[in-house]
Amino acid sequence: MSPIVVLLVLRVCMELVYQRAHEGSRLATALYLVHGLTLLAGVTLNPFLCVYAFLGFLDVERFLPRRVVFAGIIGTALLCAFGQAGAVAGVTTSPLVFVTLLLVNVGLAGAMTWFAQLREEHADERERVAAELAEAHRENLALHELLLEQARSAGVAQERARLSREIHDTVAQGLVGVIRQLEALPGDLGQSARPGIERAEHAARDCLSEARRAVRALAPHQLAKDDLTSALRGLIERWAASQATPAELVVVGAPVAGDGDDVVLRVTQESLANVARHARASSVTVTLSWLPDTLLLDVADDGVGFDPGTIVRGRGLSGMKERLAEVGGHLIVESDPGHGTTIAAKVPR
């Protein structure tokens, strides 16, 4: 059988094996070696087959294990130079030409390998950059959704707080005034007027109870079933789990419920959100201190910090200040670049 026919059959077999087993399999390596020996016999008989032998430079990485790829390149260079020099007759008569051709082939193979590796590195780098961009895009989408959700939650919370304050400051206080006026009426108005006065007083008290129920219902949902301490502890635990950042709650004094609890909760939420967005902190400590006439909140982190005198204040800090001002409190921001940040809120009881 002609070596050319054998080479064609072996080439088909090699490609089929490669498609199933890919580079470096034992069967592919065995077929490659048989193919190389057959090609050597063919080049010996017909030196012009060295043109086909040049394909060996492309085959070595496909059919040989990585540890013997260099040996395959040298073998292919020898085979090409052997055919280019005129096979056995040419090598024996002009060995210097054979050596020169061998060096040229090795140089070409080295250049081809270097360019192939460079192209592969560039492809890997492009894939890495594409993966990073895709991950950044996913993070941006997640952050965008989080910001939208926080904005919706903040809007709902602000409106609930506004309605709660309106009911408390107008309807509830007005009903309290009506009740006090009815209680202050003199007892000598007559027996005929007394039942009506009592009915009016009962109706006012019922309306006052409903108004206070509405005020409680409009408070933050975390405070619907829990007191401020429990609500803050749950909030901090959820934040620490989502941000993978240790956070703890320190309670000083005996907890006492007050009208400003919802504001303290919202200030804590916003402070933790700022830590997540800007601080790059490794830990956060939230301290809640009950004093005789004041509730103190401190949210301290060990992050990068900032210069309070140069930073442009956004809606976060302004919103916290406005909330606290509505209940007679105030906000203090202490920070220093590289030494973390402390948000301190003071709420009168």
Side-chain angles (χ1 to χ4, degrees):
M1 185 182 292
S2 170
I4 296 178
V5 175
V6 176
L7 289 172
L8 291 176
V9 173
L10 289 172
R11 169 60 62 177
V12 173
C13 294
M14 290 165 59
E15 294 297 335
L16 292 176
V17 170
Y18 176 76
Q19 290 177 4
R20 296 183 178 180
H22 298 291
E23 70 275 6
S25 70
R26 293 184 177 180
L27 182 56
T29 301
L31 288 174
Y32 177 84
L33 294 176
V34 174
H35 179 270
L37 294 175
T38 305
L39 183 57
L40 176 61
V43 171
T44 302
L45 297 175
N46 183 3
F48 285 104
L49 274 177
C50 67
V51 176
Y52 174 75
F54 196 80
L55 291 176
F57 290 125
L58 305 177
D59 290 338
V60 289
E61 291 189 358
R62 302 173 63 211
F63 299 107
L64 294 180
R66 291 188 179 274
R67 63 180 181 276
V68 295
V69 166
F70 182 73
I73 292 175
I74 298 299
T76 302
L78 284 168
L79 190 57
C80 290
F82 179 69
Q84 291 165 352
V88 177
V91 172
T92 55
T93 56
S94 303
L96 184 60
V97 174
F98 170 72
V99 173
T100 302
L101 291 171
L102 175 61
L103 294 176
V104 171
N105 280 282
V106 170
L108 289 174
M112 291 174 60
T113 302
W114 181 77
F115 279 115
Q117 291 178 348
L118 187 62
R119 184 174 62 253
E120 184 177 353
E121 290 176 357
H122 287 169
D124 292 342
E125 179 66 17
R126 286 194 296 271
E127 291 180 358
R128 185 188 64 81
V129 172
E132 290 180 353
L133 290 175
E135 180 63 24
H137 181 64
R138 286 193 294 269
E139 292 179 355
N140 286 336
L141 287 178
L143 180 59
H144 180 67
E145 293 177 358
L146 177 61
L147 291 175
L148 286 178
E149 181 61 29
Q150 289 180 342
R152 286 192 292 267
S153 300
V156 171
Q158 289 174 357
E159 184 61 17
R160 290 168 66 94
R162 186 187 68 80
L163 290 174
S164 176
R165 289 192 300 271
E166 290 292 332
I167 295 173
H168 179 272
D169 295 341
T170 57
V171 178
Q173 295 302 322
L175 289 171
V176 170
V178 171
I179 293 171
R180 296 292 179 266
Q181 291 296 325
L182 291 172
E183 291 176 342
L185 289 175
D188 57 355
L189 290 177
Q191 294 299 322
S192 60
R194 178 54 55 185
I197 294 173
E198 290 178 353
R199 287 195 297 271
E201 184 177 347
H202 287 312
R205 291 186 184 277
D206 290 340
C207 290
L208 179 60
S209 298
E210 288 298 315
R212 286 173 173 172
R213 184 192 60 79
V215 168
R216 289 193 298 270
L218 288 171
H221 66 87
Q222 293 94 336
L223 298 176
K225 297 181 179 180
D226 298 327
D227 57 17
L228 178 59
T229 303
S230 300
L232 282 181
R233 183 171 287 108
L235 170 67
I236 293 168
E237 289 176 353
R238 291 190 297 272
W239 182 88
S242 65
Q243 300 297 325
T245 302
E248 65 172 341
L249 174 65
V250 178
V251 178
V252 179
V256 178
D259 294 336
D261 288 355
D262 58 331
V263 174
V264 173
L265 182 64
R266 296 307 185 196
V267 170
T268 305
Q269 285 179 317
E270 183 62 32
S271 299
L272 291 176
N274 286 339
V275 173
R277 286 194 294 264
H278 309 298
R280 300 200 294 275
S282 60
S283 65
V284 179
T285 300
V286 179
T287 304
L288 203 58
S289 302
W290 270 275
L291 302 181
D293 57 352
T294 305
L295 173 60
L296 299 179
L297 170 71
D298 292 310
V299 181
D301 66 72
D302 59 356
V304 296
F306 60 92
D307 184 357
T310 60
I311 192 170
V312 178
R313 298 183 183 273
R315 284 299 307 164
L317 290 175
S318 299
M320 286 190 284
K321 284 190 171 184
E322 291 171 2
R323 287 178 183 273
L324 290 166
E326 291 172 353
V327 294
H330 63 272
L331 186 75
I332 300 175
V333 180
E334 298 177 351
S335 184
D336 189 41
H339 295 86
T341 301
T342 298
I343 301 294
K346 181 178 180 180
V347 179
R349 307 306 285 174

